[in-house]
Amino acid sequence: MNRTRVLLADDHVVARAGMRTLLDCPELDVVAEAADGDVALRRALDLGPDVAVLDYQMPGRSGAEVAARLRADAPAVRVLVLSAHEDRAFLRRAFEAGARGYVLKRAAADELLQAIRVVAAGGTYLDPALTAHVVAGYVGGGPGAGGPAQPLSDREADVLRLIAAGYVNKEVAARLGVSVKTVETYKLRAMEKLGFHNRV
């Protein structure tokens, strides 16, 4: 079995030790650790891990700054941001910088494992605690409220929530009891209303 190679970057030694213990499983291999953004960037460029788990706020470069450099210089390294911040501004900056996932530090242990699996497989992961918050900013809001000109339908919002949680179209279809083609239609409508140009 191919193991997913992971880099851990967090300025708190105890947090890194806890994550390393959590990720001690047959499918994952922690290949490096870093206590600041500059070291994390160097090690990611040198070692080319499959997934770099980066604390949003670290000495030197932030997780978002490291993500942006990796997107330019090592696009094969997928970035998962770990953060204490629930504000959408931090989330937006992380994804704009190239992150493929965003997990809250208060998340359950299995959430981090699930996020790494999804990101390593090429998917996008958003902490479930943030999904409803993010979607709520769009559903039913008008332009003045920061939402789309056309509010999302309940079904479009359901599809968006599941996609944000890391499910692929086939899994979304199974959960909602509709066809994959129907999921694609709802996803495209939602993307048009929100002004999104891709799944990320």
Coordinates of all heavy atoms in Angstrom, one line a residue, residues 69-124:
R69 N 3.5 29.9 -1.9 CA 4.8 29.6 -2.5 C 4.8 28.1 -3.0 O 5.3 27.9 -4.1 CB 5.9 29.7 -1.4 CG 6.3 31.1 -1.2 CD 7.0 31.7 -2.4 NE 8.2 30.9 -2.9 CZ 9.4 30.9 -2.3 NH1 9.7 31.7 -1.4 NH2 10.3 30.1 -2.8
L70 N 4.1 27.2 -2.3 CA 4.1 25.8 -2.7 C 3.3 25.7 -4.0 O 3.6 24.9 -4.9 CB 3.6 24.9 -1.6 CG 4.5 24.7 -0.4 CD1 3.8 23.9 0.6 CD2 5.8 24.1 -0.9
R71 N 2.2 26.5 -4.1 CA 1.4 26.4 -5.3 C 2.2 26.8 -6.5 O 2.1 26.2 -7.6 CB 0.2 27.3 -5.2 CG -0.8 27.3 -6.4 CD -2.0 28.2 -6.2 NE -1.6 29.6 -5.9 CZ -2.5 30.5 -5.7 NH1 -3.8 30.3 -5.6 NH2 -2.1 31.8 -5.5
A72 N 3.1 27.8 -6.3 CA 3.9 28.3 -7.4 C 5.1 27.3 -7.7 O 5.5 27.1 -8.9 CB 4.4 29.7 -7.1
D73 N 5.8 26.8 -6.6 CA 7.0 26.1 -6.8 C 6.9 24.6 -6.6 O 7.9 23.9 -7.1 CB 8.1 26.7 -5.8 CG 8.4 28.1 -6.0 OD1 8.2 28.6 -7.1 OD2 8.8 28.8 -5.0
A74 N 5.9 24.1 -6.0 CA 5.7 22.7 -5.8 C 4.3 22.3 -5.8 O 3.7 21.9 -4.8 CB 6.4 22.2 -4.5
P75 N 3.6 22.5 -6.9 CA 2.1 22.3 -7.0 C 1.7 20.9 -6.6 O 0.5 20.7 -6.3 CB 1.8 22.7 -8.4 CG 3.0 22.5 -9.2 CD 4.1 22.9 -8.2
A76 N 2.6 19.9 -6.6 CA 2.2 18.5 -6.3 C 1.9 18.4 -4.8 O 1.3 17.4 -4.3 CB 3.2 17.5 -6.8
V77 N 2.5 19.3 -4.0 CA 2.3 19.3 -2.5 C 1.0 19.9 -2.2 O 0.7 21.1 -2.5 CB 3.4 20.0 -1.8 CG1 3.2 20.0 -0.3 CG2 4.8 19.4 -2.1
R78 N 0.1 19.1 -1.7 CA -1.3 19.6 -1.3 C -1.3 20.1 0.1 O -0.7 19.5 1.0 CB -2.3 18.5 -1.5 CG -2.4 18.0 -2.9 CD -3.5 16.9 -3.1 NE -3.6 16.6 -4.5 CZ -3.2 15.4 -5.0 NH1 -2.5 14.6 -4.2 NH2 -3.3 15.2 -6.3
V79 N -1.9 21.3 0.3 CA -1.8 22.0 1.6 C -3.1 21.9 2.3 O -4.2 22.1 1.8 CB -1.4 23.5 1.4 CG1 -1.5 24.2 2.7 CG2 0.0 23.6 0.8
L80 N -3.0 21.5 3.6 CA -4.1 21.4 4.5 C -3.8 22.4 5.6 O -2.8 22.3 6.3 CB -4.3 20.0 5.1 CG -5.4 19.9 6.2 CD1 -6.8 20.2 5.7 CD2 -5.3 18.4 6.7
V81 N -4.6 23.4 5.8 CA -4.4 24.5 6.8 C -5.1 24.1 8.1 O -6.3 23.7 8.1 CB -4.9 25.9 6.3 CG1 -4.9 26.9 7.5 CG2 -3.9 26.3 5.2
L82 N -4.4 24.2 9.2 CA -4.9 23.9 10.5 C -5.0 25.3 11.2 O -4.0 26.0 11.3 CB -4.0 23.0 11.2 CG -4.5 22.3 12.6 CD1 -5.7 21.5 12.3 CD2 -3.4 21.5 13.2
S83 N -6.2 25.6 11.7 CA -6.3 27.0 12.2 C -7.3 27.0 13.4 O -8.2 26.3 13.6 CB -6.8 27.9 11.1 OG -7.1 29.2 11.6
A84 N -7.0 28.0 14.3 CA -7.9 28.3 15.4 C -9.0 29.3 14.9 O -10.0 29.6 15.6 CB -7.2 28.9 16.6
H85 N -8.8 29.9 13.8 CA -9.7 31.0 13.3 C -10.9 30.4 12.5 O -10.8 29.7 11.6 CB -8.9 31.9 12.3 CG -7.7 32.5 13.0 ND1 -7.9 33.5 13.9 CD2 -6.4 32.3 12.8 CE1 -6.7 33.9 14.4 NE2 -5.8 33.2 13.7
E86 N -12.1 30.8 12.9 CA -13.3 30.4 12.3 C -13.9 31.5 11.4 O -14.8 31.3 10.7 CB -14.4 30.0 13.3 CG -13.9 28.9 14.2 CD -15.0 28.4 15.2 OE1 -16.2 28.5 14.8 OE2 -14.6 27.9 16.2
D87 N -13.2 32.7 11.3 CA -13.7 33.8 10.5 C -13.5 33.4 9.0 O -12.4 32.9 8.6 CB -12.8 35.0 10.9 CG -13.4 36.3 10.2 OD1 -13.2 36.4 9.0 OD2 -14.0 37.1 10.9
R88 N -14.5 33.8 8.2 CA -14.4 33.4 6.8 C -13.3 34.1 6.1 O -12.8 33.7 5.1 CB -15.8 33.8 6.1 CG -16.8 32.7 6.3 CD -18.0 33.0 5.5 NE -18.8 34.1 6.1 CZ -19.8 34.7 5.5 NH1 -20.3 34.2 4.4 NH2 -20.4 35.7 6.1
A89 N -12.8 35.3 6.6 CA -11.7 36.0 6.0 C -10.4 35.1 6.0 O -9.7 35.0 5.0 CB -11.4 37.3 6.7
F90 N -10.2 34.4 7.1 CA -9.0 33.5 7.2 C -9.2 32.3 6.2 O -8.3 31.9 5.5 CB -8.8 33.0 8.6 CG -8.3 34.1 9.5 CD1 -9.2 34.8 10.3 CD2 -6.9 34.3 9.7 CE1 -8.7 35.8 11.2 CE2 -6.5 35.2 10.5 CZ -7.3 36.0 11.3
L91 N -10.4 31.8 6.2 CA -10.7 30.7 5.3 C -10.5 31.1 3.9 O -9.8 30.4 3.1 CB -12.1 30.3 5.6 CG -12.7 29.1 4.7 CD1 -12.0 27.8 5.0 CD2 -14.2 29.0 5.0
R92 N -11.0 32.2 3.5 CA -10.9 32.7 2.1 C -9.4 32.9 1.7 O -9.0 32.5 0.7 CB -11.6 34.0 1.9 CG -11.7 34.5 0.5 CD -12.5 35.8 0.3 NE -11.9 36.9 1.0 CZ -12.5 37.5 2.1 NH1 -13.6 37.0 2.5 NH2 -11.9 38.5 2.7
R93 N -8.6 33.5 2.6 CA -7.2 33.7 2.3 C -6.5 32.4 2.1 O -5.6 32.3 1.2 CB -6.5 34.5 3.5 CG -6.9 36.0 3.5 CD -6.1 36.8 4.5 NE -6.8 37.9 5.0 CZ -7.3 38.1 6.2 NH1 -7.1 37.1 7.1 NH2 -8.0 39.1 6.5
A94 N -6.8 31.4 2.9 CA -6.1 30.1 2.8 C -6.4 29.5 1.5 O -5.5 29.0 0.8 CB -6.6 29.2 4.0
F95 N -7.7 29.5 1.1 CA -8.0 28.8 -0.2 C -7.5 29.6 -1.4 O -7.1 29.1 -2.4 CB -9.5 28.6 -0.3 CG -10.0 27.3 0.5 CD1 -10.7 27.4 1.7 CD2 -9.7 26.1 0.0 CE1 -11.0 26.3 2.4 CE2 -10.0 24.9 0.6 CZ -10.7 25.0 1.8
E96 N -7.6 31.0 -1.3 CA -7.0 31.8 -2.4 C -5.5 31.5 -2.5 O -5.0 31.6 -3.6 CB -7.3 33.3 -2.1 CG -8.8 33.6 -2.3 CD -9.1 35.1 -2.0 OE1 -8.2 35.8 -1.3 OE2 -10.2 35.6 -2.3
A97 N -4.9 31.2 -1.4 CA -3.4 31.0 -1.5 C -3.1 29.6 -2.1 O -1.9 29.4 -2.4 CB -2.8 31.1 -0.1
G98 N -4.1 28.8 -2.2 CA -3.8 27.4 -2.7 C -4.1 26.3 -1.8 O -3.8 25.1 -2.2
A99 N -4.5 26.5 -0.6 CA -4.9 25.4 0.3 C -6.0 24.5 -0.3 O -6.8 25.0 -1.0 CB -5.3 25.9 1.7
R100 N -5.9 23.3 0.0 CA -7.0 22.3 -0.5 C -7.9 21.9 0.7 O -8.8 21.2 0.4 CB -6.3 21.1 -1.1 CG -5.4 21.4 -2.3 CD -6.2 22.0 -3.5 NE -7.2 21.1 -4.0 CZ -7.0 20.2 -4.9 NH1 -5.8 20.1 -5.5 NH2 -7.9 19.4 -5.3
G101 N -7.5 22.3 1.9 CA -8.4 22.0 3.0 C -8.1 22.9 4.2 O -7.1 23.6 4.2
Y102 N -9.1 23.0 5.1 CA -9.1 23.9 6.2 C -9.8 23.2 7.4 O -10.9 22.8 7.3 CB -9.8 25.2 5.9 CG -9.6 26.3 6.8 CD1 -8.7 27.3 6.5 CD2 -10.4 26.5 8.0 CE1 -8.5 28.4 7.3 CE2 -10.2 27.6 8.8 CZ -9.2 28.5 8.5 OH -9.1 29.6 9.3
V103 N -9.0 22.9 8.4 CA -9.5 22.2 9.6 C -9.3 23.1 10.8 O -8.2 23.6 11.0 CB -8.8 20.9 9.8 CG1 -9.3 20.1 11.0 CG2 -9.1 20.0 8.6
L104 N -10.3 23.1 11.7 CA -10.1 23.9 12.9 C -9.3 23.1 14.0 O -9.4 21.9 14.0 CB -11.5 24.2 13.5 CG -12.4 25.1 12.7 CD1 -13.8 25.3 13.3 CD2 -11.7 26.5 12.6
K105 N -8.6 23.8 14.8 CA -7.8 23.1 15.8 C -8.6 22.4 16.8 O -8.2 21.5 17.5 CB -6.8 24.1 16.5 CG -5.6 24.5 15.6 CD -4.6 25.2 16.4 CE -3.3 25.3 15.5 NZ -2.2 25.9 16.3
R106 N -9.8 22.9 17.0 CA -10.7 22.3 18.0 C -11.5 21.1 17.4 O -12.3 20.4 18.1 CB -11.7 23.3 18.5 CG -12.7 23.8 17.4 CD -13.7 24.7 18.1 NE -14.7 25.3 17.2 CZ -15.8 24.7 16.7 NH1 -16.1 23.5 17.2 NH2 -16.6 25.3 15.9
A107 N -11.2 20.7 16.2 CA -11.9 19.6 15.5 C -11.5 18.3 16.2 O -10.5 18.1 16.9 CB -11.5 19.5 14.1
A108 N -12.4 17.3 16.1 CA -12.2 16.0 16.6 C -11.0 15.3 15.9 O -10.7 15.7 14.7 CB -13.4 15.1 16.4
A109 N -10.3 14.4 16.5 CA -9.1 13.8 15.9 C -9.4 13.2 14.6 O -8.6 13.3 13.6 CB -8.5 12.8 16.9
D110 N -10.5 12.5 14.5 CA -10.8 11.8 13.2 C -11.1 12.8 12.1 O -11.0 12.4 10.9 CB -12.0 10.8 13.3 CG -13.3 11.5 13.8 OD1 -13.2 12.6 14.3 OD2 -14.3 10.8 13.7
E111 N -11.4 14.1 12.4 CA -11.6 15.1 11.3 C -10.3 15.4 10.6 O -10.2 15.5 9.4 CB -12.2 16.4 11.9 CG -13.6 16.3 12.3 CD -14.5 16.0 11.1 OE1 -14.2 16.3 10.0 OE2 -15.6 15.4 11.4
L112 N -9.2 15.4 11.4 CA -7.9 15.7 10.8 C -7.5 14.5 9.9 O -7.0 14.8 8.7 CB -6.8 16.0 11.8 CG -5.4 16.2 11.3 CD1 -5.3 17.4 10.4 CD2 -4.4 16.4 12.5
L113 N -7.7 13.3 10.3 CA -7.4 12.2 9.5 C -8.2 12.2 8.2 O -7.7 11.9 7.1 CB -7.7 10.9 10.3 CG -6.6 10.5 11.4 CD1 -7.2 9.4 12.2 CD2 -5.3 10.1 10.7
Q114 N -9.5 12.4 8.3 CA -10.4 12.5 7.2 C -9.9 13.6 6.2 O -9.9 13.4 5.0 CB -11.8 12.7 7.6 CG -12.8 12.9 6.5 CD -13.0 11.7 5.6 OE1 -12.5 10.6 5.9 NE2 -13.7 11.8 4.5
A115 N -9.6 14.7 6.7 CA -9.1 15.8 5.9 C -7.9 15.5 5.1 O -7.8 15.8 3.9 CB -8.9 17.1 6.8
I116 N -6.9 14.8 5.8 CA -5.7 14.4 5.1 C -6.0 13.4 4.0 O -5.5 13.5 2.9 CB -4.7 13.8 6.1 CG1 -4.1 15.0 7.0 CG2 -3.5 13.2 5.4 CD1 -3.3 14.5 8.2
R117 N -6.9 12.5 4.3 CA -7.2 11.5 3.2 C -7.9 12.2 2.0 O -7.5 11.9 0.9 CB -8.2 10.5 3.8 CG -7.6 9.6 4.8 CD -8.6 8.5 5.4 NE -8.1 7.7 6.4 CZ -8.5 7.7 7.7 NH1 -9.6 8.5 8.0 NH2 -8.0 6.9 8.6
V118 N -8.8 13.1 2.3 CA -9.5 13.8 1.2 C -8.5 14.6 0.4 O -8.5 14.6 -0.9 CB -10.7 14.6 1.7 CG1 -11.2 15.6 0.6 CG2 -11.8 13.8 2.3
V119 N -7.7 15.4 1.0 CA -6.8 16.3 0.3 C -5.7 15.4 -0.4 O -5.4 15.8 -1.6 CB -6.1 17.2 1.4 CG1 -4.9 18.0 0.7 CG2 -7.1 18.2 1.9
A120 N -5.2 14.4 0.2 CA -4.2 13.5 -0.5 C -4.8 12.9 -1.7 O -4.1 12.7 -2.7 CB -3.8 12.4 0.5
A121 N -6.1 12.6 -1.7 CA -6.8 12.0 -2.9 C -7.1 13.0 -4.0 O -7.7 12.7 -5.0 CB -8.0 11.3 -2.4
G122 N -6.8 14.3 -3.7 CA -7.1 15.3 -4.7 C -8.3 16.1 -4.5 O -8.7 16.9 -5.3
G123 N -9.0 15.8 -3.4 CA -10.2 16.5 -3.1 C -10.0 17.8 -2.3 O -8.9 18.2 -2.0
T124 N -11.1 18.4 -1.9 CA -11.1 19.7 -1.1 C -11.9 19.4 0.2 O -12.9 18.8 0.2 CB -11.8 20.8 -1.9 OG1 -11.1 21.0 -3.1 CG2 -11.7 22.1 -1.1

